[in-house]
Amino acid sequence: MPSLPPPSAVPPSSAVPPPAPQQPVEKKFVPSTSHTSPDDVALPRLGLTGTLRWAWRQLTSMRTALFLLLLLAVAAVPGSLFPQRPANPSVVTKYLQDHPGIGPVLDWFKLFNVYSSPWFSAIYLLLFISLIGCVIPRAIAHYKAVRSTPPRTPRRLSRLPEYGTLEIPAASEVTPRQAMQDAAAALKSRGYRVDLRDADGERPSVGAERGFLKEVGNLLFHTSLIGVLVSVALGGLFGYSGQRVLVEGETFVNTLVGYDTFTPGTSFDSNQLEPYSVRLDRFQVTFDRESKAHYGQPLDFNATLTTKSSPTAAEEQQTLKVNDPVALGGTSIYLVGNGYAPVVTVRDGAGNVAFQGPVVAVPTDGAYTSLIVIKAPDAQPDQLGFVGFFLPTALQDEKGVAFGSDPDPFNPQLNLNSFYGDLGLDDGTPKNVFTLDTSGLTQLNGRDLDAGGIVLAPGASYTLPEGKGSISFDGIKRYVALDIHHNPGQLAALVFAVLALAGLVGSLFLTRRRVWVRTGSHPDGRTMVEYGLLARGEDHRLAGEATAIRKALAQRWLAEPSEVAEDSKEAQRSAGRVDATQDGK
């Protein structure tokens, strides 16, 4: 009879209900209320610090720097399309008068002062900051890379673009450690920075790297570009330029009133002008007199100057030529033009001298046919004006019209028309000295008038009709047109431009390479050597470098290159030599 469980293990029948029959339960899908759509996801706020960090990274990216460089080039275009007030204020004034509608709008956008406008300066400064932000992190990263050791030796050198093996005979008694040291010495002789690994292990190796000057060239290029920008900015802020026409015997003093035209920098101060002086003693032009094809063309221009670096300094003789400027007082003086200056004397109706001296004539062709304008505002009772042309060597055609035939003054001649009236010089309005507005004047002489035109040879004089006075042609002098520049950043810009070119050449032609050499012992006593090369970027000369390293290693162990066969990767893998040694590491 089976035993019953103890009373404590069996609950009373009243306390345990009979089991209920199992009923199938219908499961219903209830969508989760915790699921949210992508549109409902709340992104974390960047905050002020995060926003500034993001803006700085965007500004200092290379893409932004290139965009700002292109934008700067585009922003400079209006400077060549519209007249600029610092260079030609009178032209800007005339443009505003001729375009009363669009002119003030353009002036509001600073299109007549492009290079000193706030928007151009903003682009310039942003480009400057962007380049600095690009260069500094790269320089820090490159500094760390230079101080770090070459990367670890790869497990499978056979996977590198250039790979090879060498066998050192057992008779040479070269151990793997000695082979590693020899390989390190060979790589050092080729300019590599080496690092020895596992010198006391079974398979020592060498890691080598060179080509850090490639990144140095890249950094030098970008740093020099910053230097160029700074140098140009210094020239624009503190530089100046001016022009002066100087006749033989005249002296130019470096003051504001001594210039015919003057263009100051944005931060120019008149105290920057060094008080030097320049006197034109003589100007000579050598013309071609031997060649038939180029007869009469100028061969050489030579201006003899007497200069003084200060009012109390001693005089110094200097020679000024084309493309050979004279440096004086921190400025460079260039010879940019020349011509003739006929010396005339104008007397008014009372016989008083109203004008006397050389008059600059503007050449119009290779024969130095020159336009000339003479103004005598001091003449009484009416002001006198003359306009015409000067011929160094005058000839006449069959109609009796004079023309210039040679640039040398073999037969100089003045041909003038005369006018009287108000020259418009007393109302304070600037006038061009090389033009004469005849609209409000009365003509006295001319080819189409009864009095005819005025034709004068040197030493001749002419009495004007109606008792208005006279004019005489006293002689001829030469003049030179000088262009005077002071740019404190010019030399620095040249130096940085040369450095930028050197850095660009280095970054283009230098290569970054890494070499690994691993050695080991064969059971029969031979020392096995394998090497691999890797270039950073494209390097079409990597195969040649691999061949040179192979020869250098072979010469270290007194092996003839012909005795060291260059096995292919496939043959080495099939022999099992490479994988067996690499899998054991």
Side-chain angles (χ1 to χ4, degrees):
M1 182 175 181
S3 61
L4 298 175
S8 60
V10 180
S13 60
S14 61
V16 180
Q22 297 292 331
Q23 297 292 334
V25 179
E26 181 180 0
K27 296 182 178 180
K28 296 182 179 180
F29 175 76
V30 179
S32 175
T33 58
S34 62
H35 177 73
T36 56
S37 64
D39 296 336
D40 298 331
V41 176
L43 298 177
R45 296 183 60 185
L46 290 177
L48 178 60
T49 304
T51 303
L52 293 177
R53 185 182 295 109
W54 176 85
W56 174 254
R57 289 177 178 175
Q58 296 299 315
L59 177 61
T60 56
S61 65
M62 186 59 65
R63 179 179 59 183
T64 302
L66 293 175
F67 173 76
L68 290 173
L69 188 62
L70 177 63
L71 187 61
L72 186 69
V74 174
V77 172
S80 58
L81 296 179
F82 299 102
Q84 297 301 294
R85 186 172 280 110
N88 299 297
S90 60
V91 178
V92 174
T93 302
K94 187 175 185 305
Y95 187 94
L96 293 174
Q97 294 175 351
D98 297 340
H99 304 82
I102 192 64
V105 178
L106 298 177
D107 197 15
W108 188 85
F109 282 105
K110 304 296 182 181
L111 294 183
F112 302 119
N113 299 80
V114 169
Y115 306 110
S116 60
S117 62
W119 49 270
F120 188 87
S121 301
I123 298 173
Y124 197 93
L125 291 176
L126 286 176
L127 176 60
F128 181 74
I129 296 173
S130 179
L131 287 174
I132 293 179
C134 289
V135 170
I136 292 179
R138 292 183 63 175
I140 296 175
H142 183 63
Y143 175 76
K144 293 180 179 179
V146 171
R147 292 181 60 86
S148 63
T149 59
R152 65 181 182 84
T153 305
R155 185 177 182 82
R156 295 181 178 271
L157 294 178
S158 59
R159 295 182 178 179
L160 297 181
E162 294 296 331
Y163 173 74
T165 62
L166 290 170
E167 297 179 3
I168 305 176
S172 63
E173 298 182 354
V174 177
T175 64
R177 180 188 179 98
Q178 182 62 38
M180 176 192 66
Q181 295 175 350
D182 292 343
L187 292 175
K188 279 185 177 180
S189 65
R190 295 190 61 81
Y192 284 88
R193 181 171 60 96
V194 300
D195 181 51
L196 305 180
R197 287 89 181 264
D198 300 331
D200 298 327
E202 296 180 357
R203 302 179 61 217
S205 64
V206 178
E209 190 174 12
R210 79 172 186 183
F212 289 99
L213 289 179
K214 180 180 180 66
E215 182 64 16
V216 172
N218 201 349
L219 293 173
L220 179 62
F221 170 75
H222 288 88
T223 305
S224 299
L225 186 58
I226 297 174
V228 170
L229 292 177
V230 174
S231 302
V232 173
L234 288 176
L237 289 174
F238 304 104
Y240 62 86
S241 63
Q243 292 74 37
R244 171 62 190 264
V245 174
L246 201 60
V247 183
E248 288 177 330
E250 291 184 349
T251 300
F252 161 72
V253 179
N254 188 34
T255 59
L256 288 178
V257 296
Y259 287 89
D260 294 331
T261 59
F262 188 80
T263 305
T266 307
S267 301
F268 170 78
D269 187 353
S270 59
N271 294 327
Q272 294 178 230
L273 297 177
E274 296 288 339
Y276 63 82
S277 62
V278 178
R279 183 177 72 240
L280 177 61
D281 297 327
R282 187 179 181 186
F283 180 71
Q284 292 178 311
V285 184
T286 303
F287 297 100
D288 187 357
R289 299 303 179 186
E290 297 181 359
S291 173
K292 294 183 179 180
H294 305 286
Y295 185 84
Q297 291 189 1
L299 298 177
D300 186 34
F301 302 92
N302 192 322
T304 303
L305 306 177
T306 297
T307 62
K308 294 178 66 176
S309 57
S310 67
T312 58
E315 293 185 346
E316 182 181 356
Q317 294 289 328
Q318 298 194 55
T319 301
L320 177 64
K321 294 186 176 182
V322 177
N323 298 326
D324 187 13
V326 170
L328 192 64
T331 64
S332 297
I333 304 175
Y334 297 87
L335 176 62
V336 296
N338 68 94
Y340 291 98
V343 181
V344 298
T345 300
V346 177
R347 297 181 181 273
D348 58 14
N352 299 319
V353 176
F355 175 85
Q356 187 176 36
V359 181
V360 173
V362 182
T364 59
D365 57 21
Y368 278 67
T369 301
S370 307
L371 298 178
I372 186 171
V373 173
I374 305 171
K375 299 179 182 180
D378 295 333
Q380 296 295 332
D382 298 301
Q383 297 178 343
L384 298 176
F386 303 83
V387 60
F389 53 90
F390 169 74
L391 303 175
T393 300
L395 295 178
Q396 288 187 348
D397 58 13
E398 61 277 3
K399 297 181 180 180
V401 178
F403 65 93
S405 62
D406 195 275
D408 265 329
F410 297 132
N411 183 31
Q413 187 181 93
L414 265 178
N415 292 264
L416 301 172
N417 294 335
S418 63
F419 300 83
Y420 73 92
D422 185 6
L423 300 180
L425 302 178
D426 299 332
D427 56 359
T429 304
K431 299 292 183 180
N432 191 337
V433 297
F434 299 111
T435 60
L436 179 65
D437 184 8
T438 61
S439 58
L441 302 177
T442 302
Q443 187 171 1
L444 288 171
N445 290 93
R447 181 178 299 177
D448 53 346
L449 299 180
D450 295 337
I454 302 174
V455 180
L456 296 175
S461 61
Y462 179 87
T463 301
L464 299 177
E466 303 178 15
K468 297 297 183 181
S470 64
I471 182 172
S472 61
F473 183 10
D474 303 329
I476 304 173
K477 290 185 177 181
R478 289 186 179 269
Y479 72 86
V480 295
L482 303 179
D483 200 0
I484 304 170
H485 283 272
H486 173 68
N487 188 345
Q490 183 176 6
L491 180 59
L494 175 61
V495 173
F496 282 120
V498 174
L499 291 177
L501 181 59
L504 182 61
V505 171
S507 64
L508 291 177
F509 293 98
L510 296 178
T511 54
R512 182 86 172 268
R513 293 168 180 167
R514 291 171 178 172
V515 180
W516 292 274
V517 180
R518 182 186 287 126
T519 63
S521 297
H522 195 273
D524 61 5
R526 292 175 297 168
T527 298
M528 311 303 297
V529 180
E530 60 175 343
Y531 60 90
L533 285 82
L534 178 66
R536 191 169 183 177
E538 294 187 4
D539 186 1
H540 302 288
R541 297 174 293 175
L542 189 62
E545 179 68 10
T547 302
I549 291 177
R550 183 181 183 84
K551 291 181 179 180
L553 294 178
Q555 292 174 358
R556 284 276 174 176
W557 299 311
L558 303 178
E560 295 294 336
S562 59
E563 297 178 1
V564 184
E566 181 69 31
D567 299 328
S568 64
K569 293 182 183 180
E570 291 77 6
Q572 294 163 4
R573 291 196 185 99
S574 62
R577 178 183 305 157
V578 176
D579 292 341
T581 56
Q582 291 171 347
D583 292 340
K585 183 172 175 64

